[in-house]
Amino acid sequence: MSVPIYMSQAQIIREDCEFLKPRPRVHNQRLTIQHWQLRDLITCPTSSDEFIYVHQNSVNGYNTRSKVVTPLMKDLNFHPTSLTASCGYLAAGGQRSQLMVRAYVRGGSINNALCISEHLGGTRLLISNNDNTIKVYSLPGLQRLTSIHLPTAVNYTSVSPDGRKMVAVGDSTEVYVYDISVAGGYKNIATYNVTTEASFSCAWNQSSDKFAVASQDGFVSVWDIRHSERLCKLGSKQQPQVKGATRCVKFSSSGSIDLLVYSEHVSYVNLVDARTFNDRQVVRVAPTNIDEHISGIAMSPDSKVCFVGLEHSVLEFDVDTIIRRSFPSGSLI
């Protein structure tokens, strides 16, 4: 395996660190992958005791303590390929522009990803669509506010936690950065070249100054919005094989945990120190000699738990928060 390089050829990523504790708890819930490249089908919006996931044509909630499954969207007339939950709303999208947020919205092509964000006290739903647009709706009224046109099919959109920036990726090698005005408009302020293939996931860190992009060619690229040059380029365990494609990327969202997590097409999840990007833990979530498809990853709001969705179960890993809240110390000689 080629070792990923950070910043320069002289600085090598260390992989002898452990951010997740061993022996995850296994929850026997089945997740259904409907599209071979869209793998963001599990979310944990409110508590580390519950996650939400896609199963066939339904969306369920699962309490990890009581082991109770709660149907949240039952018997949909489509099989969700995208899922999000935030600001008190749950949304699921399908391959023929179907959308369920207690209502249907039609018109367009495949809903590749969904994003819920807050803006000036209001809530918005952004739909990344195969028809080269990002459709923006108000919630709960589902009034279309605008459509943002891109030169490629849009696979994923992410709004920064402070609501001021947006990043979008699609079926090209480019990443599009937008400024969100006080009036609610979206202006393309930068376009960067990512890697050699399409990208399928992107995410912002909790301080809204860095974003990451996961690409088909097995790399995750990170930018600091204060600079036009890429901050670092992280490889996958199985890169350059197709099964090493990076499918889903997330930052921890609270406290001083500061982790970047990304999943591969099958079997492996990577965790990187988001302070320095020098340390990485690679976790195999499948048995030895058997590959398992990963349907998504989710960090709990308190960043104490990392959920990894497989097709036949969900793994619940505890984050070693003590180690992550420990900083190097020194003394004067």
Side-chain angles (χ1 to χ4, degrees), residues 52-320:
I52 299 171
Y53 64 99
V54 170
H55 175 59
Q56 295 181 350
N57 63 334
S58 299
V59 177
N60 298 327
Y62 178 78
N63 189 292
T64 60
R65 293 186 180 273
S66 65
K67 314 300 182 186
V68 172
V69 177
T70 302
L72 302 177
M73 293 179 177
K74 191 176 181 180
D75 297 328
L76 299 171
N77 63 357
F78 64 95
H79 291 75
T81 55
S82 51
L83 178 73
T84 190
S86 183
C87 308
Y89 296 98
L90 172 65
Q95 294 203 49
R96 291 178 174 79
S97 194
Q98 305 99 325
L99 175 68
M100 171 60 83
V101 196
R102 299 186 181 276
Y104 286 97
V105 178
R106 298 186 181 277
S109 185
I110 300 175
N111 290 330
N112 289 325
L114 305 171
C115 172
I116 295 175
S117 67
E118 291 186 335
H119 182 76
L120 296 179
T123 306
R124 293 182 172 186
L125 171 66
L126 293 86
I127 305 173
S128 303
N129 201 273
N130 245 28
D131 65 1
N132 296 20
T133 67
I134 302 169
K135 298 177 176 66
V136 184
Y137 291 87
S138 64
L139 289 176
L142 282 176
Q143 176 185 357
R144 185 182 291 194
L145 303 177
T146 188
S147 290
I148 305 165
H149 295 269
L150 280 79
T152 185
V154 187
N155 292 327
Y156 209 98
T157 304
S158 180
V159 174
S160 60
D162 64 9
R164 298 179 179 179
K165 295 286 189 295
M166 180 183 78
V167 62
V169 297
D171 281 351
S172 71
T173 62
E174 297 178 314
V175 53
Y176 305 89
V177 184
Y178 289 79
D179 181 75
I180 305 175
S181 68
V182 174
Y186 299 84
K187 180 182 179 181
N188 183 208
I189 59 173
T191 301
Y192 303 130
N193 190 64
V194 188
T195 48
T196 60
E197 296 188 38
S199 299
F200 288 89
S201 182
C202 53
W204 290 87
N205 68 344
Q206 60 180 320
S207 56
S208 300
D209 61 1
K210 296 181 182 69
F211 65 86
V213 174
S215 302
Q216 171 76 25
D217 59 3
F219 289 103
V220 169
S221 300
V222 181
W223 273 270
D224 187 312
I225 61 171
R226 295 164 291 189
H227 307 283
S228 59
E229 296 296 322
R230 178 165 40 201
L231 180 62
C232 63
K233 181 179 177 181
L234 308 163
S236 67
K237 173 74 172 178
Q238 302 168 104
Q239 193 275 337
Q241 302 176 72
V242 173
K243 62 183 182 180
T246 52
R247 294 298 184 207
C248 187
V249 63
K250 301 288 175 72
F251 280 95
S252 56
S253 60
S254 64
S256 56
I257 305 303
D258 299 319
L259 286 175
L260 172 68
V261 187
Y262 55 96
S263 61
E264 302 185 23
H265 190 72
V266 296
S267 302
Y268 287 96
V269 171
N270 300 259
L271 297 97
V272 176
D273 185 337
R275 299 169 194 155
T276 65
F277 300 97
N278 285 344
D279 299 324
R280 180 175 73 161
Q281 178 186 12
V282 181
V283 180
R284 184 174 177 86
V285 295
T288 304
N289 300 324
I290 299 176
D291 281 331
E292 288 210 24
H293 288 270
I294 299 173
S295 58
I297 51 176
M299 296 287 290
S300 63
D302 58 10
S303 300
K304 294 181 179 180
V305 169
C306 177
F307 293 104
V308 179
L310 306 175
E311 290 188 289
H312 303 289
S313 63
V314 175
L315 305 183
E316 179 186 357
F317 289 90
D318 289 323
V319 176
D320 194 330

